[in-house]
Amino acid sequence: MKITRDQLEKNQIWLFAIFLLLGGMVGSFNEHFAANLEWLISPLIEVLMYSMFTQIPFLKLREAISNIRFIGALLIGNFIAVPIIVWVLIILFPLSPPILVGVCFVLLTPCIDYVIVFTQLGKGNEKLILASMPILFVVQMLLLPLYLWLFIGEEMVGVVHIKPFLEAFLLLIVAPLILAVITQFWAKKNALGEKALDLTAWLPVPFMAIVLMVVVASQIGKVYSDFKLILPAIPLYILFLIITPFVSRFIAYAFRLDSGAGRALIFSTGTRNSLVVLPLALALPESWATLAAAVIVTQTIVELVGELFYIKVIPKLM
């Protein structure tokens, strides 16, 4: 039976769940092999981002970025409301410093990759999210050291390095974006380019599944070995997923956003930057890196389960 792209996209959640389980199985049964997959995470994300970028009509992004109310709501939601929520949660759930660092890394940084997919599935305006990605990334890069200093202490300013963030921005966002624009121009002027652009439309779903599998496979061993230390963070993650949609809905109402923009705001504040901050966590001192990375992967697993509820509930909530 021939599988169409539409069928693939409609069933992508189940595909993600299957690959997530496969990643857990590979990481559990052959930990040494799975750990060696870690180097694949960034290249796979690059391909994933390129495939997503190629499907967006960039001329229409000008309209999206001109939506000042949405950008204002997005910045307030992600960089004022979310930090307050996180601050309250870490007071309610005291954590050891390495665990706390991982939690802050992942919860204080809004997602700039697969949030597009989930926003689309949840009937939100994914073009608004895409248009805002460079702004989200630059602002989180600037504010994360400040948040870590406020939430954890002065010692974190010396621990966190900007270089991994800059590398992630250039390799995972700028390079795929430029290549996607070149592909679209090529498609306009050449039949072969048009075929290439059509081919890229098949890539987002399978590459998202592969990325999730590799991330879980390469990091699940760390989660198992430190599970007792990581366990207190799980209820914190669940509460975060529950609280943020209601706070974001209030912000959307205050900024008079339409339903598509409001849903996009909810998905942005509820979906975190786990795949991109993972390399940043691994750049921490070795004694902290293992726990911080394991905490981030745990958040990814909890979040993906939460997104299954989000895509059903958010359209009704907003």
Side-chain angles (χ1 to χ4, degrees):
M1 184 181 71
K2 186 178 180 180
I3 298 175
T4 66
R5 202 175 83 207
D6 186 54
Q7 288 173 327
L8 186 65
E9 291 174 352
K10 284 182 178 178
N11 293 285
Q12 59 186 310
I13 293 298
W14 301 112
L15 186 67
F16 295 163
I18 291 169
F19 273 69
L20 197 65
L21 290 173
L22 284 174
M25 290 170 63
V26 170
S28 300
F29 293 125
N30 196 331
E31 190 173 335
H32 178 72
F33 169 77
N36 289 329
L37 296 175
E38 193 172 288
W39 69 272
L40 286 171
I41 294 173
S42 291
L44 286 171
I45 292 176
E46 289 172 25
V47 177
L48 174 64
M49 296 308 296
Y50 164 71
S51 66
M52 288 181 174
F53 285 143
T54 55
Q55 307 312 307
I56 302 297
F58 282 96
L59 292 177
K60 292 185 178 180
L61 290 184
R62 294 179 183 177
E63 301 171 14
I65 200 68
S66 66
N67 192 330
I68 302 300
R69 282 188 299 177
F70 176 75
I71 297 299
L74 195 71
L75 293 176
I76 288 174
N78 277 299
F79 301 111
I80 296 178
V82 165
I84 291 172
I85 293 169
V86 174
W87 179 69
V88 171
L89 289 174
I90 63 176
I91 289 176
L92 294 175
F93 298 89
L95 304 167
S96 63
I99 303 295
L100 182 58
V101 169
V103 168
C104 288
F105 265 137
V106 74
L107 291 187
L108 294 173
T109 50
C111 182
I112 55 168
D113 35 66
Y114 60 67
V115 65
I116 300 168
V117 176
F118 290 117
T119 301
Q120 186 180 36
L121 290 172
K123 297 181 173 61
N125 190 332
E126 76 277 7
K127 293 185 180 68
L128 289 174
I129 293 292
L130 179 64
S132 66
M133 279 169 43
I135 297 172
L136 285 177
F137 199 93
V138 171
V139 175
Q140 68 182 262
M141 181 178 67
L142 294 173
L143 291 182
L144 183 60
L146 173 63
Y147 287 146
L148 293 174
W149 176 72
L150 289 172
F151 285 34
I152 301 171
E154 291 185 17
E155 67 273 14
M156 284 310 304
V157 176
V159 173
V160 177
H161 304 292
I162 295 298
K163 185 180 176 183
F165 244 144
L166 291 176
E167 288 178 350
F169 181 61
L170 293 173
L171 293 175
L172 305 180
I173 303 298
V174 176
L177 181 60
I178 292 172
L179 189 57
V181 173
I182 292 171
T183 303
Q184 290 190 0
F185 275 116
W186 182 32
K188 280 187 176 182
K189 299 181 178 181
N190 188 285
L192 183 60
E194 189 174 354
K195 289 182 180 179
L197 186 62
D198 288 339
L199 180 63
T200 62
W202 286 85
L203 300 180
V205 174
F207 267 88
M208 174 67 78
I210 293 169
V211 166
L212 294 173
M213 182 181 70
V214 170
V215 167
V216 172
S218 63
Q219 304 299 318
I220 197 70
K222 298 173 184 177
V223 174
Y224 284 154
S225 61
D226 299 309
F227 187 71
K228 287 184 179 179
L229 296 173
I230 296 168
L231 187 60
I234 294 177
L236 186 151
Y237 290 150
I238 294 171
L239 282 174
F240 180 86
L241 285 168
I242 294 171
I243 294 169
T244 49
F246 294 99
V247 174
S248 299
R249 189 180 187 279
F250 174 78
I251 295 170
Y253 176 78
F255 277 81
R256 293 181 294 173
L257 300 182
D258 61 47
S259 59
R263 291 167 188 160
L265 175 65
I266 292 173
F267 275 97
S268 179
T269 55
T271 311
R272 301 290 87 192
N273 204 358
S274 55
L275 296 182
V276 177
V277 297
L278 185 60
L280 185 64
L282 294 170
L284 290 169
E286 188 175 350
S287 58
W288 289 42
T290 299
L291 279 174
V295 168
I296 290 170
V297 172
T298 302
Q299 189 275 337
T300 303
I301 296 169
V302 173
E303 180 177 88
L304 288 172
V305 175
E307 295 288 350
L308 297 178
F309 289 95
Y310 267 27
I311 61 176
K312 299 293 184 183
V313 174
I314 298 308
K316 298 176 182 178
L317 179 66
M318 192 74 205

